[in-house]
Amino acid sequence: MIDRAGLAEFLRSRRAALQPEDVGLPRGPRRRTDGLRREEVASLCHMSTDYYSRLERERGPQPSSQMLGSIAQGLHLSLDERDHLFRLAGHNPPARGGVSEHISPGLLRIFDRLNDTPAEIVTELGETLRQTPMGVALTGDTTRYTGPERSSGYRWFTMPAVRERHAPDEHAFLTRMYASGLRQLVTLRGPGSRAAHLADLLLASSEEFRGAWDQHEIGIRPHEVKRFVHPEVGALELTCQRLVDPGQAHSLMVYTAIPGTESHEKLQMLSVIGAQALR
């Protein structure tokens, strides 16, 4: 059963504890109170201000699990705080670990400061949870996929168009890398896992995947320097730095170019293209 008073009080306290800088927002000269405004939290949670305000005022319908997940991310809640939020709203908390899509507050704080850099947060299956605007400009919006296609490895074997963003002479390596990574996850997570389900789907649909899978390769790591082929700026060589949250099996991927190189200049061009696309 929903605890409306407890839920409202908890939401108000978490909103008051967040500063604009914590979520990548400008403070502005006219802010009179500490914490975030309701409309700012509603925007971060991808819901209407009216809906969020009613929750803080102990009114409105019982929020769904999906809504609660959005609120937990928007308020940068820890896993313990997220679970408390779900229980206050009368729901069982989601699972933790490899299947969880709740991004830790620390990872989000870093991500929120990377608006001028291509970056993304991905799950262990290569499902994009967040992208910066520059990340979208570099690879396209990879958060839009649903079902198995959310996994970059699944898309590699089933959607030929995604390969156009990668240098052709790296395709064979990436095929081996994706098959190796998925095999390792199936062993780690077990036969009933989402990783095992993806492997079964690919074994049934992709001859190329079956060939790579039968090699039983393990431990093929991504190259630190990734070579992209962008439809507007052409070839780029970008260094990928990975920050891993082991508790949630999430990775923050940040792509940079060496200053003074052609790729660095193209990345600057890409920032202009991305800004124009947003407008």
Side-chain angles (χ1 to χ4, degrees):
M1 181 180 295
I2 184 172
D3 178 355
R4 292 191 182 277
L7 176 62
E9 186 175 355
F10 183 64
L11 291 176
R12 290 194 298 266
S13 69
R14 293 304 86 205
R15 176 168 63 83
L18 275 180
Q19 300 303 312
E21 298 84 357
D22 295 331
V23 295
L25 294 175
R27 173 165 290 275
R30 299 186 179 182
R31 186 174 294 270
R32 297 178 180 177
T33 59
D34 290 333
L36 297 180
R37 302 183 179 103
R38 286 195 180 99
E39 58 267 26
E40 291 171 332
V41 171
S43 177
L44 290 169
C45 299
H46 307 291
M47 60 185 59
S48 71
T49 302
D50 177 67
Y51 182 92
Y52 178 80
S53 297
R54 281 187 289 161
L55 292 178
E56 282 201 3
R57 292 168 178 155
E58 304 180 28
R59 300 203 302 268
Q62 180 184 26
S64 66
S65 294
Q66 184 177 4
M67 279 291 193
L68 292 170
S70 295
I71 292 171
Q73 288 288 210
L75 287 172
H76 285 40
L77 299 186
S78 68
L79 277 174
D80 288 337
E81 289 170 333
R82 180 204 67 175
D83 291 354
H84 181 64
L85 173 72
F86 269 74
R87 293 187 180 102
L88 287 173
H91 292 275
N92 292 322
R96 299 191 181 197
V99 299
S100 174
E101 296 190 3
H102 180 80
I103 305 169
S104 70
L107 212 57
L108 274 178
R109 281 194 293 271
I110 299 171
F111 178 84
D112 287 337
R113 286 160 172 76
L114 296 173
N115 271 340
D116 60 348
T117 305
E120 59 183 346
I121 297 176
V122 299
T123 69
E124 62 183 11
L125 289 173
E127 301 157 326
T128 305
L129 301 178
R130 295 285 179 94
Q131 276 180 298
T132 61
M134 278 287 285
V136 175
L138 176 64
T139 63
D141 181 3
T142 53
T143 65
R144 73 182 189 276
Y145 296 104
T146 60
E149 290 180 356
R150 293 184 63 205
S151 167
S152 57
Y154 184 86
R155 294 196 302 272
W156 180 260
F157 292 103
T158 61
M159 303 175 66
V162 305
R163 303 191 178 199
E164 297 173 1
R165 297 264 179 164
H166 299 271
D169 58 357
E170 290 205 336
H171 287 189
F173 168 79
L174 290 171
T175 292
R176 295 171 56 219
M177 183 196 75
Y178 280 124
S180 165
L182 187 55
R183 178 175 284 282
Q184 198 159 342
L185 275 177
V186 171
T187 303
L188 177 66
R189 300 303 180 193
S193 63
R194 292 170 60 203
H197 177 61
L198 283 180
D200 289 341
L201 290 175
L202 288 171
L203 285 169
S205 62
S206 171
E207 182 178 354
E208 181 186 21
F209 177 79
R210 288 194 295 272
W213 185 260
D214 288 343
Q215 297 304 309
H216 290 265
E217 292 185 296
I218 291 294
I220 298 180
R221 305 299 180 193
H223 292 151
E224 183 179 356
V225 176
K226 297 186 180 293
R227 297 163 60 204
F228 293 96
V229 181
H230 192 272
E232 294 181 76
V233 302
L236 299 101
E237 290 192 356
L238 303 179
T239 301
C240 177
Q241 301 294 334
R242 180 193 296 257
L243 178 62
V244 179
D245 176 5
Q248 290 292 88
H250 295 160
S251 296
L252 171 61
M253 319 276 284
V254 183
Y255 303 93
T256 60
I258 298 173
T261 63
E262 183 179 356
S263 290
H264 187 264
E265 294 177 2
K266 289 181 177 180
L267 209 54
Q268 301 302 109
M269 293 171 55
L270 201 58
S271 68
V272 176
I273 293 172
Q276 291 174 342
L278 284 174
R279 286 198 295 270

